[in-house]
Amino acid sequence: KQEVTQIPAALSVPEGENLVLNCSFTDSAIYNLQWFRQDPGKGLTSLLLIQSSQREQTSGRLNASLDKSSGRSTLYIAASQPGDSATYLCAVSLFTGGGADGLTFGKGTHLIIQP
Amino acid sequence: EAGVTQSPTHLIKTRGQQVTLRCSPISGHTSVYWYQQALGLGLQFLLWYDEGEERNRGNFPPRFSGRQFPNYSSELNVNALELEDSALYLCASTSSTGAGYTFGSGTRLTVV
């Protein structure tokens, strides 16, 4: 059974710092990996999607890498801002176009950026 | 392009009642997933619908059920509500092209 672990569980840093969030998964036979952001009480906003054949994806100040063989992904946030404060979730999909139970989620990293 | 739409946004129900939550996927997406996120817990998979059929369900009792309509919208029904059913219920849709999952804003259910 696929398990996803995110480290750290919580992180508080001053504004402007660069930071790295970690995600690991137990079954390397994934189809893709997605990073989401969740604000308190809200739905999930997709940040980056990495297909299994890709090594990284970038969007603005965000960069996500994927090392499928070692079962690891990292989300790099450059020049953090207070608006980045949220819970960041990593999720993997084992199948194309859905399948089984869809996404398997980590428990998230709760990020606070201090002004 | 409209995103995944969920309704209602908030609900308050009494223990023992029944509730129906609704989800409209992104146009062209045929798969709809339902997840439960109880306070302080992670996302738990509830149900998967594809092409109008229930394809898989998570470790939840039978009083959690649903269906998918010909236009691929979906309903989640919860019977005999219990206090521990209080949670944020999230719907997601995806397509067969593997372009990732898109989530709705969720329905916050409070059972009193």
Side-chain angles (χ1 to χ4, degrees), chain B residues 57-73:
Chain B
R57 66 181 294 124
N59 188 26
F60 282 84
R63 56 191 187 82
F64 286 84
S65 65
R67 55 180 172 168
Q68 187 178 35
F69 298 96
N71 66 354
Y72 303 116
S73 67

Side-chain angles (χ1 to χ4, degrees), chain B residues 9 12-14 21-22 29 32-33 39 44 46-48 51 58 68-69 74 78 92 94 96-97 101 108:
Chain B
T9 55
I12 300 176
K13 289 287 189 178
T14 303
L21 312 181
R22 296 177 174 80
H29 285 190
V32 170
Y33 290 80
L39 191 62
Q44 302 294 316
L46 265 168
L47 289 158
W48 169 37
E51 297 286 356
Q68 187 178 35
F69 298 96
S74 176
V78 187
T94 189
S96 59
T97 62
Y101 291 70
R108 170 69 64 185

Side-chain angles (χ1 to χ4, degrees), chain B:
Chain B
E1 176 186 87
V4 176
T5 305
Q6 290 189 244
S7 64
T9 55
H10 295 86
L11 268 178
I12 300 176
K13 289 287 189 178
T14 303
R15 191 171 46 186
Q17 285 188 314
Q18 178 266 343
V19 68
T20 298
L21 312 181
R22 296 177 174 80
C23 172
S24 293
I26 286 178
S27 178
H29 285 190
T30 61
S31 275
V32 170
Y33 290 80
W34 288 94
Y35 293 88
Q36 182 197 65
Q37 188 178 36
L39 191 62
L41 299 179
L43 281 94
Q44 302 294 316
F45 165 70
L46 265 168
L47 289 158
W48 169 37
Y49 292 95
D50 183 62
E51 297 286 356
E53 300 283 335
E54 180 180 307
R55 302 296 185 182
N56 196 23
R57 66 181 294 124
N59 188 26
F60 282 84
R63 56 191 187 82
F64 286 84
S65 65
R67 55 180 172 168
Q68 187 178 35
F69 298 96
N71 66 354
Y72 303 116
S73 67
S74 176
E75 285 182 351
L76 172 67
N77 299 296
V78 187
N79 294 321
L81 284 167
E82 300 180 2
L83 296 179
E84 52 264 36
D85 296 333
S86 295
L88 181 66
Y89 289 84
L90 292 166
C91 168
S93 72
T94 189
S95 71
S96 59
T97 62
Y101 291 70
T102 303
F103 280 78
S105 299
T107 294
R108 170 69 64 185
L109 172 64
T110 301
V111 182
V112 298

Side-chain angles (χ1 to χ4, degrees), chain A residues 9 11 16 29 37 39 42 62 65-66 73-76 78 82 92 111:
Chain A
L11 184 62
R37 167 189 173 134
D39 294 289
K42 306 294 186 182
L62 304 179
S65 66
L66 174 63
S73 176
T74 61
L75 178 67
Y76 176 82
V92 298
L111 176 63

